[in-house]
Amino acid sequence: MWDQTATAQLENVPWVRHVEFHPTIGSTNNRARELIGQAVELPALVVAAQQTQGRGRLGRNWWSPPGALLCSLVVGSDVGPAATENASVLALWTGVALAEGLARIEPTLPAWLKWPNDLMVADSKLAGILVETAMSTDSGPVWIVGFGLNVNNRRLSQVPDLASRDLYQPLSLYDFTGRTYPLVEVLHTVLHSLASTYAALRGDPQSLPERWQTYCGLHGKVVQIATAEQKSVQGVCLGIDGDGALKLQTASGEVTRCIVGSVIEWEAKTKPT
Ligand code: BTN
């Protein structure tokens, strides 16, 4: 947990040039937005022990109890994708980085990425990512990369009011392995992974589909997508394109691209044991 020793160690986390810790905050993404325009050096990191108004995609709430790793990074255009690309691409980069970081922490954890921004174990959610674009500075766009990773928070009971939160129950590393993890060490590993994955993808953006594919749990499976226009599309998942669109082969054989949406159903959905 975030005791005095752990918060002191935040001074030594890699890559970021500004770190701040909040025992309780509304939303780290909101605080990160406040930092833009202030003279903080980027990448900047906001960490909270708990959030009272944690935000998820599509206006949902994000369950943010103590024990979870709740962070928002502010990154500049020297770190993120080309200015012509969008927040979705950076969310996909971040998913790859989280999956790679977790593989270092728990190599046997069967974590998989669910387009566009979920890190799953079976059909429960281990982590969520919320990337937002902030006002561009002279040197290009600034991005807020929020991520919530369920680490030591326990699924003692079902999360209340799930419908307004997410479609999936959360699952933590603790729930899966029965062990607790020093949050600052998990953060350390995740930041290393973010720095190296971002650098690699920035150097070779075309490698995103292949890197993402390593963790795509739905490749070759029939999935159903709720699109932004409230339409439902069903097809076999063929992975993603370089711009982050999900490719589906529909019953007619045609390949359709989903740019915005959520996977709402998939083949062989299993309950975690
Ligand atoms: C989602 O899966 O819908 C995205 C969830 C993102 C949650 C994180 S927790 C830290 C950061 N602050 C927020 O308010 N949201 C993100």
Side-chain angles (χ1 to χ4, degrees):
M1 300 296 160
W2 289 113
D3 56 18
Q4 227 172 357
T5 314
T7 50
Q9 287 170 358
L10 281 173
E11 293 300 317
N12 305 320
V13 292
W15 186 45
V16 293
R17 303 172 85 169
H18 168 96
V19 188
E20 57 180 56
F21 173 78
H22 300 265
T24 303
I25 199 167
S27 156
T28 54
N29 266 39
N30 292 356
R31 173 61 192 150
R33 190 171 290 276
E34 286 171 9
L35 291 180
I36 298 163
Q38 297 179 9
V40 297
E41 285 192 88
L42 304 185
L45 175 69
V46 180
V47 184
Q50 59 185 330
Q51 298 180 122
T52 54
Q53 292 173 316
R55 296 191 286 111
R57 267 177 87 229
L58 309 173
R60 296 187 184 121
N61 301 325
W62 180 257
W63 182 57
S64 307
L69 185 60
L70 305 164
C71 298
S72 298
L73 270 171
V74 186
V75 296
S77 55
D78 54 332
V79 166
T84 47
E85 286 171 326
N86 53 33
S88 315
V89 169
L90 188 52
L92 292 161
W93 286 22
T94 306
V96 173
L98 287 186
E100 290 179 347
L102 272 166
R104 262 170 233 130
I105 296 165
E106 277 300 341
T108 60
L109 187 80
W112 59 278
L113 288 170
K114 180 165 73 56
W115 183 86
N117 69 337
D118 297 336
L119 190 62
M120 309 287 288
V121 171
D123 70 347
S124 294
K125 194 151 157 175
L126 192 64
I129 298 159
L130 179 66
V131 177
E132 297 175 311
T133 313
M135 240 178 45
S136 294
T137 61
D138 294 346
S139 51
V142 174
W143 316 88
I144 299 167
V145 181
F147 56 92
L149 173 59
N150 295 317
V151 180
N152 300 320
N153 41 318
R154 298 172 189 195
R155 195 169 61 171
L156 290 176
S157 58
Q158 301 286 63
V159 174
D161 191 19
L162 190 64
S164 75
R165 288 164 196 272
D166 207 335
L167 297 168
Y168 310 101
Q169 284 291 340
L171 180 97
S172 67
L173 287 177
Y174 173 85
D175 291 326
F176 192 78
T177 66
R179 293 194 286 118
T180 53
Y181 301 78
L183 286 176
V184 75
E185 285 177 24
V186 175
L187 176 62
H188 212 277
T189 305
V190 165
L191 288 176
H192 262 304
S193 190
L194 284 162
S196 63
T197 305
Y198 284 3
L201 283 166
R202 195 176 159 81
D204 182 11
Q206 293 313 315
S207 66
L208 173 66
E210 194 186 323
R211 287 184 83 134
W212 199 83
Q213 170 74 34
T214 311
Y215 296 96
C216 172
L218 300 177
H219 197 90
K221 295 192 174 163
V222 177
V223 301
Q224 197 175 337
I225 309 289
T227 68
E229 304 84 37
Q230 306 300 323
K231 280 196 301 204
S232 169
V233 185
Q234 185 169 302
V236 176
C237 172
L238 302 179
I240 59 169
D241 265 340
D243 65 356
L246 186 75
K247 293 184 291 183
L248 291 185
Q249 184 162 38
T250 60
S252 68
E254 175 200 347
V255 176
T256 183
R257 283 165 33 88
C258 300
I259 293 163
V260 182
S262 301
V263 177
I264 50 171
E265 205 49 73
W266 63 89
E267 196 184 328
K269 193 174 172 189
T270 52
K271 290 274 170 216
T273 49

mmCIF file of all heavy atoms in Angstrom, residues 175-221:
data_model
loop_
_atom_site.group_PDB
_atom_site.id
_atom_site.type_symbol
_atom_site.label_atom_id
_atom_site.label_comp_id
_atom_site.label_asym_id
_atom_site.label_seq_id
_atom_site.Cartn_x
_atom_site.Cartn_y
_atom_site.Cartn_z
ATOM 1 N N ASP A 175 -6.495 -11.149 -6.444
ATOM 2 C CA ASP A 175 -7.576 -12.127 -6.647
ATOM 3 C C ASP A 175 -7.052 -13.344 -7.399
ATOM 4 O O ASP A 175 -7.485 -14.467 -7.174
ATOM 5 C CB ASP A 175 -8.726 -11.520 -7.470
ATOM 6 C CG ASP A 175 -9.488 -10.451 -6.712
ATOM 7 O OD1 ASP A 175 -9.629 -10.567 -5.488
ATOM 8 O OD2 ASP A 175 -9.938 -9.491 -7.367
ATOM 9 N N PHE A 176 -6.141 -13.097 -8.330
ATOM 10 C CA PHE A 176 -5.674 -14.194 -9.180
ATOM 11 C C PHE A 176 -4.601 -15.041 -8.496
ATOM 12 O O PHE A 176 -4.627 -16.262 -8.586
ATOM 13 C CB PHE A 176 -5.145 -13.639 -10.511
ATOM 14 C CG PHE A 176 -4.922 -14.716 -11.522
ATOM 15 C CD1 PHE A 176 -5.988 -15.264 -12.220
ATOM 16 C CD2 PHE A 176 -3.650 -15.208 -11.749
ATOM 17 C CE1 PHE A 176 -5.790 -16.295 -13.138
ATOM 18 C CE2 PHE A 176 -3.440 -16.242 -12.663
ATOM 19 C CZ PHE A 176 -4.515 -16.779 -13.357
ATOM 20 N N THR A 177 -3.660 -14.387 -7.808
ATOM 21 C CA THR A 177 -2.507 -15.152 -7.293
ATOM 22 C C THR A 177 -2.550 -15.349 -5.779
ATOM 23 O O THR A 177 -1.793 -16.149 -5.243
ATOM 24 C CB THR A 177 -1.173 -14.430 -7.613
ATOM 25 O OG1 THR A 177 -1.150 -13.197 -6.872
ATOM 26 C CG2 THR A 177 -1.029 -14.144 -9.097
ATOM 27 N N GLY A 178 -3.371 -14.559 -5.072
ATOM 28 C CA GLY A 178 -3.405 -14.639 -3.606
ATOM 29 C C GLY A 178 -2.224 -13.927 -2.961
ATOM 30 O O GLY A 178 -2.022 -14.020 -1.755
ATOM 31 N N ARG A 179 -1.435 -13.212 -3.760
ATOM 32 C CA ARG A 179 -0.285 -12.496 -3.201
ATOM 33 C C ARG A 179 -0.518 -10.990 -3.276
ATOM 34 O O ARG A 179 -1.281 -10.524 -4.111
ATOM 35 C CB ARG A 179 0.990 -12.861 -3.965
ATOM 36 C CG ARG A 179 1.371 -14.317 -3.754
ATOM 37 C CD ARG A 179 2.770 -14.621 -4.205
ATOM 38 N NE ARG A 179 2.878 -14.677 -5.652
ATOM 39 C CZ ARG A 179 3.637 -13.853 -6.375
ATOM 40 N NH1 ARG A 179 4.339 -12.906 -5.788
ATOM 41 N NH2 ARG A 179 3.701 -13.980 -7.679
ATOM 42 N N THR A 180 0.163 -10.249 -2.397
ATOM 43 C CA THR A 180 0.084 -8.792 -2.504
ATOM 44 C C THR A 180 1.395 -8.288 -3.113
ATOM 45 O O THR A 180 2.437 -8.933 -3.011
ATOM 46 C CB THR A 180 -0.156 -8.117 -1.138
ATOM 47 O OG1 THR A 180 0.829 -8.569 -0.229
ATOM 48 C CG2 THR A 180 -1.543 -8.417 -0.603
ATOM 49 N N TYR A 181 1.323 -7.128 -3.719
ATOM 50 C CA TYR A 181 2.451 -6.592 -4.494
ATOM 51 C C TYR A 181 2.759 -5.176 -4.028
ATOM 52 O O TYR A 181 1.829 -4.369 -3.860
ATOM 53 C CB TYR A 181 2.062 -6.536 -5.986
ATOM 54 C CG TYR A 181 1.700 -7.879 -6.548
ATOM 55 C CD1 TYR A 181 0.441 -8.441 -6.282
ATOM 56 C CD2 TYR A 181 2.593 -8.605 -7.314
ATOM 57 C CE1 TYR A 181 0.107 -9.692 -6.776
ATOM 58 C CE2 TYR A 181 2.263 -9.859 -7.820
ATOM 59 C CZ TYR A 181 1.017 -10.394 -7.542
ATOM 60 O OH TYR A 181 0.685 -11.639 -8.034
ATOM 61 N N PRO A 182 4.039 -4.832 -3.822
ATOM 62 C CA PRO A 182 4.377 -3.443 -3.495
ATOM 63 C C PRO A 182 4.003 -2.550 -4.694
ATOM 64 O O PRO A 182 4.527 -2.722 -5.805
ATOM 65 C CB PRO A 182 5.893 -3.474 -3.276
ATOM 66 C CG PRO A 182 6.254 -4.915 -3.125
ATOM 67 C CD PRO A 182 5.226 -5.698 -3.881
ATOM 68 N N LEU A 183 3.071 -1.631 -4.461
ATOM 69 C CA LEU A 183 2.557 -0.827 -5.581
ATOM 70 C C LEU A 183 3.665 -0.047 -6.276
ATOM 71 O O LEU A 183 3.656 0.117 -7.499
ATOM 72 C CB LEU A 183 1.473 0.132 -5.086
ATOM 73 C CG LEU A 183 0.120 -0.517 -4.762
ATOM 74 C CD1 LEU A 183 -0.843 0.520 -4.197
ATOM 75 C CD2 LEU A 183 -0.479 -1.157 -6.002
ATOM 76 N N VAL A 184 4.628 0.447 -5.479
ATOM 77 C CA VAL A 184 5.680 1.261 -6.098
ATOM 78 C C VAL A 184 6.543 0.407 -7.023
ATOM 79 O O VAL A 184 7.020 0.884 -8.064
ATOM 80 C CB VAL A 184 6.492 2.031 -5.025
ATOM 81 C CG1 VAL A 184 7.446 1.141 -4.268
ATOM 82 C CG2 VAL A 184 7.217 3.207 -5.653
ATOM 83 N N GLU A 185 6.706 -0.865 -6.688
ATOM 84 C CA GLU A 185 7.492 -1.742 -7.572
ATOM 85 C C GLU A 185 6.719 -2.060 -8.854
ATOM 86 O O GLU A 185 7.288 -2.124 -9.949
ATOM 87 C CB GLU A 185 7.878 -3.037 -6.847
ATOM 88 C CG GLU A 185 8.992 -2.787 -5.850
ATOM 89 C CD GLU A 185 9.368 -4.023 -5.052
ATOM 90 O OE1 GLU A 185 9.131 -5.150 -5.523
ATOM 91 O OE2 GLU A 185 9.891 -3.832 -3.933
ATOM 92 N N VAL A 186 5.412 -2.247 -8.692
ATOM 93 C CA VAL A 186 4.590 -2.484 -9.896
ATOM 94 C C VAL A 186 4.670 -1.248 -10.795
ATOM 95 O O VAL A 186 4.864 -1.344 -12.007
ATOM 96 C CB VAL A 186 3.123 -2.792 -9.500
ATOM 97 C CG1 VAL A 186 2.244 -2.908 -10.743
ATOM 98 C CG2 VAL A 186 3.050 -4.076 -8.673
ATOM 99 N N LEU A 187 4.563 -0.081 -10.168
ATOM 100 C CA LEU A 187 4.624 1.170 -10.946
ATOM 101 C C LEU A 187 5.961 1.291 -11.673
ATOM 102 O O LEU A 187 6.025 1.684 -12.846
ATOM 103 C CB LEU A 187 4.399 2.367 -10.011
ATOM 104 C CG LEU A 187 4.518 3.743 -10.658
ATOM 105 C CD1 LEU A 187 3.465 3.926 -11.749
ATOM 106 C CD2 LEU A 187 4.385 4.854 -9.617
ATOM 107 N N HIS A 188 7.021 0.963 -10.965
ATOM 108 C CA HIS A 188 8.367 0.997 -11.536
ATOM 109 C C HIS A 188 8.415 0.173 -12.829
ATOM 110 O O HIS A 188 8.855 0.632 -13.882
ATOM 111 C CB HIS A 188 9.321 0.395 -10.489
ATOM 112 C CG HIS A 188 10.681 0.976 -10.506
ATOM 113 N ND1 HIS A 188 11.646 0.559 -11.383
ATOM 114 C CD2 HIS A 188 11.246 1.936 -9.739
ATOM 115 C CE1 HIS A 188 12.744 1.236 -11.164
ATOM 116 N NE2 HIS A 188 12.540 2.084 -10.180
ATOM 117 N N THR A 189 7.936 -1.051 -12.740
ATOM 118 C CA THR A 189 7.962 -1.955 -13.903
ATOM 119 C C THR A 189 7.085 -1.415 -15.027
ATOM 120 O O THR A 189 7.463 -1.440 -16.208
ATOM 121 C CB THR A 189 7.470 -3.362 -13.482
ATOM 122 O OG1 THR A 189 8.266 -3.789 -12.385
ATOM 123 C CG2 THR A 189 7.573 -4.367 -14.607
ATOM 124 N N VAL A 190 5.911 -0.908 -14.649
ATOM 125 C CA VAL A 190 4.984 -0.393 -15.671
ATOM 126 C C VAL A 190 5.590 0.824 -16.378
ATOM 127 O O VAL A 190 5.500 0.953 -17.607
ATOM 128 C CB VAL A 190 3.619 -0.060 -15.013
ATOM 129 C CG1 VAL A 190 2.764 0.809 -15.911
ATOM 130 C CG2 VAL A 190 2.874 -1.343 -14.670
ATOM 131 N N LEU A 191 6.246 1.698 -15.623
ATOM 132 C CA LEU A 191 6.831 2.891 -16.255
ATOM 133 C C LEU A 191 7.970 2.517 -17.200
ATOM 134 O O LEU A 191 8.097 3.085 -18.288
ATOM 135 C CB LEU A 191 7.319 3.880 -15.188
ATOM 136 C CG LEU A 191 6.213 4.615 -14.430
ATOM 137 C CD1 LEU A 191 6.817 5.498 -13.333
ATOM 138 C CD2 LEU A 191 5.351 5.477 -15.348
ATOM 139 N N HIS A 192 8.780 1.548 -16.785
ATOM 140 C CA HIS A 192 9.843 1.062 -17.684
ATOM 141 C C HIS A 192 9.234 0.570 -18.986
ATOM 142 O O HIS A 192 9.720 0.860 -20.081
ATOM 143 C CB HIS A 192 10.595 -0.107 -17.037
ATOM 144 C CG HIS A 192 11.874 0.315 -16.387
ATOM 145 N ND1 HIS A 192 12.864 0.985 -17.068
ATOM 146 C CD2 HIS A 192 12.327 0.160 -15.126
ATOM 147 C CE1 HIS A 192 13.861 1.235 -16.251
ATOM 148 N NE2 HIS A 192 13.561 0.757 -15.058
ATOM 149 N N SER A 193 8.164 -0.187 -18.821
ATOM 150 C CA SER A 193 7.521 -0.771 -19.984
ATOM 151 C C SER A 193 6.899 0.307 -20.871
ATOM 152 O O SER A 193 7.005 0.253 -22.108
ATOM 153 C CB SER A 193 6.454 -1.754 -19.495
ATOM 154 O OG SER A 193 5.980 -2.495 -20.555
ATOM 155 N N LEU A 194 6.251 1.286 -20.243
ATOM 156 C CA LEU A 194 5.667 2.383 -21.024
ATOM 157 C C LEU A 194 6.757 3.108 -21.805
ATOM 158 O O LEU A 194 6.612 3.374 -23.007
ATOM 159 C CB LEU A 194 4.932 3.362 -20.104
ATOM 160 C CG LEU A 194 3.560 2.890 -19.597
ATOM 161 C CD1 LEU A 194 3.129 3.695 -18.375
ATOM 162 C CD2 LEU A 194 2.508 3.023 -20.691
ATOM 163 N N ALA A 195 7.867 3.423 -21.120
ATOM 164 C CA ALA A 195 8.942 4.168 -21.788
ATOM 165 C C ALA A 195 9.487 3.381 -22.972
ATOM 166 O O ALA A 195 9.647 3.919 -24.082
ATOM 167 C CB ALA A 195 10.051 4.480 -20.791
ATOM 168 N N SER A 196 9.736 2.073 -22.758
ATOM 169 C CA SER A 196 10.376 1.332 -23.855
ATOM 170 C C SER A 196 9.376 1.013 -24.961
ATOM 171 O O SER A 196 9.710 1.080 -26.155
ATOM 172 C CB SER A 196 11.070 0.069 -23.344
ATOM 173 O OG SER A 196 10.118 -0.784 -22.794
ATOM 174 N N THR A 197 8.128 0.714 -24.598
ATOM 175 C CA THR A 197 7.138 0.398 -25.636
ATOM 176 C C THR A 197 6.820 1.644 -26.468
ATOM 177 O O THR A 197 6.730 1.581 -27.700
ATOM 178 C CB THR A 197 5.858 -0.171 -24.998
ATOM 179 O OG1 THR A 197 6.210 -1.286 -24.206
ATOM 180 C CG2 THR A 197 4.834 -0.590 -26.032
ATOM 181 N N TYR A 198 6.647 2.777 -25.795
ATOM 182 C CA TYR A 198 6.378 4.015 -26.533
ATOM 183 C C TYR A 198 7.545 4.323 -27.482
ATOM 184 O O TYR A 198 7.332 4.711 -28.632
ATOM 185 C CB TYR A 198 6.185 5.201 -25.584
ATOM 186 C CG TYR A 198 4.847 5.282 -24.863
ATOM 187 C CD1 TYR A 198 3.872 4.301 -24.997
ATOM 188 C CD2 TYR A 198 4.559 6.361 -24.031
ATOM 189 C CE1 TYR A 198 2.657 4.401 -24.325
ATOM 190 C CE2 TYR A 198 3.344 6.470 -23.358
ATOM 191 C CZ TYR A 198 2.392 5.481 -23.508
ATOM 192 O OH TYR A 198 1.200 5.597 -22.851
ATOM 193 N N ALA A 199 8.773 4.163 -26.984
ATOM 194 C CA ALA A 199 9.935 4.478 -27.827
ATOM 195 C C ALA A 199 9.959 3.552 -29.044
ATOM 196 O O ALA A 199 10.191 3.992 -30.180
ATOM 197 C CB ALA A 199 11.217 4.351 -27.018
ATOM 198 N N ALA A 200 9.674 2.263 -28.806
ATOM 199 C CA ALA A 200 9.717 1.307 -29.920
ATOM 200 C C ALA A 200 8.613 1.611 -30.931
ATOM 201 O O ALA A 200 8.844 1.595 -32.151
ATOM 202 C CB ALA A 200 9.560 -0.113 -29.382
ATOM 203 N N LEU A 201 7.415 1.908 -30.450
ATOM 204 C CA LEU A 201 6.302 2.158 -31.369
ATOM 205 C C LEU A 201 6.445 3.496 -32.089
ATOM 206 O O LEU A 201 6.027 3.655 -33.231
ATOM 207 C CB LEU A 201 4.972 2.070 -30.623
ATOM 208 C CG LEU A 201 4.542 0.623 -30.342
ATOM 209 C CD1 LEU A 201 3.422 0.556 -29.317
ATOM 210 C CD2 LEU A 201 4.096 -0.058 -31.626
ATOM 211 N N ARG A 202 7.045 4.428 -31.412
ATOM 212 C CA ARG A 202 7.290 5.720 -32.060
ATOM 213 C C ARG A 202 8.301 5.553 -33.202
ATOM 214 O O ARG A 202 8.163 6.139 -34.270
ATOM 215 C CB ARG A 202 7.822 6.692 -31.010
ATOM 216 C CG ARG A 202 7.783 8.114 -31.440
ATOM 217 C CD ARG A 202 8.242 8.991 -30.314
ATOM 218 N NE ARG A 202 8.662 10.247 -30.861
ATOM 219 C CZ ARG A 202 7.828 11.226 -31.185
ATOM 220 N NH1 ARG A 202 6.555 11.099 -30.969
ATOM 221 N NH2 ARG A 202 8.285 12.336 -31.697
ATOM 222 N N GLY A 203 9.313 4.702 -32.933
ATOM 223 C CA GLY A 203 10.339 4.445 -33.956
ATOM 224 C C GLY A 203 9.778 3.616 -35.108
ATOM 225 O O GLY A 203 10.268 3.708 -36.229
ATOM 226 N N ASP A 204 8.769 2.797 -34.822
ATOM 227 C CA ASP A 204 8.236 1.896 -35.855
ATOM 228 C C ASP A 204 6.729 1.735 -35.645
ATOM 229 O O ASP A 204 6.250 0.692 -35.196
ATOM 230 C CB ASP A 204 8.950 0.533 -35.729
ATOM 231 C CG ASP A 204 8.478 -0.439 -36.803
ATOM 232 O OD1 ASP A 204 7.774 -0.023 -37.745
ATOM 233 O OD2 ASP A 204 8.803 -1.642 -36.677
ATOM 234 N N PRO A 205 5.957 2.795 -35.978
ATOM 235 C CA PRO A 205 4.505 2.747 -35.718
ATOM 236 C C PRO A 205 3.813 1.584 -36.420
ATOM 237 O O PRO A 205 2.808 1.078 -35.932
ATOM 238 C CB PRO A 205 3.986 4.086 -36.252
ATOM 239 C CG PRO A 205 5.172 4.933 -36.504
ATOM 240 C CD PRO A 205 6.361 4.050 -36.612
ATOM 241 N N GLN A 206 4.402 1.145 -37.536
ATOM 242 C CA GLN A 206 3.755 0.052 -38.281
ATOM 243 C C GLN A 206 3.792 -1.273 -37.523
ATOM 244 O O GLN A 206 3.107 -2.232 -37.886
ATOM 245 C CB GLN A 206 4.432 -0.124 -39.650
ATOM 246 C CG GLN A 206 4.226 1.055 -40.585
ATOM 247 C CD GLN A 206 2.769 1.512 -40.634
ATOM 248 O OE1 GLN A 206 1.853 0.704 -40.727
ATOM 249 N NE2 GLN A 206 2.538 2.817 -40.518
ATOM 250 N N SER A 207 4.602 -1.333 -36.453
ATOM 251 C CA SER A 207 4.687 -2.594 -35.705
ATOM 252 C C SER A 207 3.547 -2.745 -34.690
ATOM 253 O O SER A 207 3.442 -3.773 -34.032
ATOM 254 C CB SER A 207 6.045 -2.718 -35.003
ATOM 255 O OG SER A 207 6.149 -1.723 -34.007
ATOM 256 N N LEU A 208 2.691 -1.708 -34.578
ATOM 257 C CA LEU A 208 1.604 -1.795 -33.584
ATOM 258 C C LEU A 208 0.713 -3.029 -33.773
ATOM 259 O O LEU A 208 0.499 -3.771 -32.812
ATOM 260 C CB LEU A 208 0.767 -0.504 -33.586
ATOM 261 C CG LEU A 208 -0.497 -0.558 -32.711
ATOM 262 C CD1 LEU A 208 -0.140 -0.683 -31.235
ATOM 263 C CD2 LEU A 208 -1.378 0.671 -32.925
ATOM 264 N N PRO A 209 0.177 -3.286 -34.987
ATOM 265 C CA PRO A 209 -0.723 -4.444 -35.101
ATOM 266 C C PRO A 209 -0.064 -5.749 -34.642
ATOM 267 O O PRO A 209 -0.680 -6.552 -33.948
ATOM 268 C CB PRO A 209 -1.063 -4.486 -36.601
ATOM 269 C CG PRO A 209 -0.899 -3.078 -37.056
ATOM 270 C CD PRO A 209 0.255 -2.537 -36.252
ATOM 271 N N GLU A 210 1.196 -5.911 -35.010
ATOM 272 C CA GLU A 210 1.870 -7.165 -34.653
ATOM 273 C C GLU A 210 2.110 -7.260 -33.144
ATOM 274 O O GLU A 210 1.901 -8.293 -32.526
ATOM 275 C CB GLU A 210 3.196 -7.220 -35.410
ATOM 276 C CG GLU A 210 3.826 -8.583 -35.396
ATOM 277 C CD GLU A 210 5.203 -8.543 -36.036
ATOM 278 O OE1 GLU A 210 5.381 -7.794 -37.023
ATOM 279 O OE2 GLU A 210 6.102 -9.240 -35.524
ATOM 280 N N ARG A 211 2.531 -6.148 -32.530
ATOM 281 C CA ARG A 211 2.778 -6.173 -31.080
ATOM 282 C C ARG A 211 1.482 -6.358 -30.320
ATOM 283 O O ARG A 211 1.416 -7.058 -29.314
ATOM 284 C CB ARG A 211 3.465 -4.873 -30.630
ATOM 285 C CG ARG A 211 4.908 -4.803 -31.065
ATOM 286 C CD ARG A 211 5.554 -3.573 -30.521
ATOM 287 N NE ARG A 211 6.013 -3.783 -29.161
ATOM 288 C CZ ARG A 211 7.210 -3.424 -28.718
ATOM 289 N NH1 ARG A 211 8.062 -2.883 -29.535
ATOM 290 N NH2 ARG A 211 7.540 -3.611 -27.457
ATOM 291 N N TRP A 212 0.439 -5.706 -30.780
ATOM 292 C CA TRP A 212 -0.857 -5.805 -30.110
ATOM 293 C C TRP A 212 -1.404 -7.227 -30.222
ATOM 294 O O TRP A 212 -1.969 -7.777 -29.294
ATOM 295 C CB TRP A 212 -1.817 -4.779 -30.732
ATOM 296 C CG TRP A 212 -2.981 -4.475 -29.860
ATOM 297 C CD1 TRP A 212 -3.036 -3.586 -28.822
ATOM 298 C CD2 TRP A 212 -4.284 -5.069 -29.928
ATOM 299 N NE1 TRP A 212 -4.286 -3.591 -28.253
ATOM 300 C CE2 TRP A 212 -5.071 -4.490 -28.922
ATOM 301 C CE3 TRP A 212 -4.861 -6.034 -30.751
ATOM 302 C CZ2 TRP A 212 -6.395 -4.836 -28.694
ATOM 303 C CZ3 TRP A 212 -6.181 -6.390 -30.543
ATOM 304 C CH2 TRP A 212 -6.928 -5.790 -29.525
ATOM 305 N N GLN A 213 -1.159 -7.809 -31.392
ATOM 306 C CA GLN A 213 -1.633 -9.161 -31.700
ATOM 307 C C GLN A 213 -1.138 -10.194 -30.681
ATOM 308 O O GLN A 213 -1.824 -11.149 -30.359
ATOM 309 C CB GLN A 213 -1.128 -9.490 -33.110
ATOM 310 C CG GLN A 213 -1.280 -10.900 -33.572
ATOM 311 C CD GLN A 213 -2.720 -11.186 -33.905
ATOM 312 O OE1 GLN A 213 -3.425 -10.300 -34.374
ATOM 313 N NE2 GLN A 213 -3.150 -12.391 -33.630
ATOM 314 N N THR A 214 0.088 -9.977 -30.168
ATOM 315 C CA THR A 214 0.664 -10.903 -29.193
ATOM 316 C C THR A 214 -0.284 -11.112 -28.015
ATOM 317 O O THR A 214 -0.325 -12.179 -27.422
ATOM 318 C CB THR A 214 1.997 -10.307 -28.663
ATOM 319 O OG1 THR A 214 2.766 -9.911 -29.780
ATOM 320 C CG2 THR A 214 2.772 -11.280 -27.807
ATOM 321 N N TYR A 215 -1.044 -10.074 -27.672
ATOM 322 C CA TYR A 215 -1.900 -10.159 -26.488
ATOM 323 C C TYR A 215 -3.387 -10.165 -26.843
ATOM 324 O O TYR A 215 -4.227 -10.173 -25.942
ATOM 325 C CB TYR A 215 -1.606 -8.977 -25.547
ATOM 326 C CG TYR A 215 -0.200 -9.023 -25.027
ATOM 327 C CD1 TYR A 215 0.817 -8.294 -25.634
ATOM 328 C CD2 TYR A 215 0.137 -9.851 -23.952
ATOM 329 C CE1 TYR A 215 2.124 -8.359 -25.187
ATOM 330 C CE2 TYR A 215 1.435 -9.927 -23.498
ATOM 331 C CZ TYR A 215 2.428 -9.180 -24.114
ATOM 332 O OH TYR A 215 3.712 -9.264 -23.665
ATOM 333 N N CYS A 216 -3.701 -10.116 -28.129
ATOM 334 C CA CYS A 216 -5.118 -10.061 -28.522
ATOM 335 C C CYS A 216 -5.766 -11.418 -28.230
ATOM 336 O O CYS A 216 -5.414 -12.421 -28.827
ATOM 337 C CB CYS A 216 -5.243 -9.730 -30.012
ATOM 338 S SG CYS A 216 -6.945 -9.863 -30.603
ATOM 339 N N GLY A 217 -6.703 -11.416 -27.271
ATOM 340 C CA GLY A 217 -7.319 -12.692 -26.875
ATOM 341 C C GLY A 217 -8.457 -13.109 -27.782
ATOM 342 O O GLY A 217 -9.032 -14.175 -27.589
ATOM 343 N N LEU A 218 -8.816 -12.292 -28.748
ATOM 344 C CA LEU A 218 -10.022 -12.578 -29.529
ATOM 345 C C LEU A 218 -9.733 -12.892 -30.989
ATOM 346 O O LEU A 218 -10.652 -13.080 -31.776
ATOM 347 C CB LEU A 218 -10.997 -11.393 -29.443
ATOM 348 C CG LEU A 218 -11.466 -11.067 -28.026
ATOM 349 C CD1 LEU A 218 -12.357 -9.841 -28.017
ATOM 350 C CD2 LEU A 218 -12.201 -12.253 -27.422
ATOM 351 N N HIS A 219 -8.465 -12.967 -31.340
ATOM 352 C CA HIS A 219 -8.126 -13.200 -32.745
ATOM 353 C C HIS A 219 -8.752 -14.518 -33.220
ATOM 354 O O HIS A 219 -8.639 -15.538 -32.559
ATOM 355 C CB HIS A 219 -6.618 -13.244 -32.934
ATOM 356 C CG HIS A 219 -6.223 -13.067 -34.355
ATOM 357 N ND1 HIS A 219 -5.971 -11.842 -34.905
ATOM 358 C CD2 HIS A 219 -6.089 -13.962 -35.364
ATOM 359 C CE1 HIS A 219 -5.680 -11.986 -36.181
ATOM 360 N NE2 HIS A 219 -5.747 -13.266 -36.479
ATOM 361 N N GLY A 220 -9.429 -14.462 -34.354
ATOM 362 C CA GLY A 220 -10.038 -15.672 -34.920
ATOM 363 C C GLY A 220 -11.360 -16.043 -34.275
ATOM 364 O O GLY A 220 -11.981 -17.028 -34.663
ATOM 365 N N LYS A 221 -11.791 -15.269 -33.265
ATOM 366 C CA LYS A 221 -13.059 -15.590 -32.605
ATOM 367 C C LYS A 221 -14.164 -14.676 -33.107
ATOM 368 O O LYS A 221 -13.907 -13.552 -33.543
ATOM 369 C CB LYS A 221 -12.917 -15.422 -31.097
ATOM 370 C CG LYS A 221 -11.947 -16.416 -30.512
ATOM 371 C CD LYS A 221 -12.010 -16.445 -29.023
ATOM 372 C CE LYS A 221 -11.116 -17.579 -28.534
ATOM 373 N NZ LYS A 221 -10.794 -17.455 -27.130
#
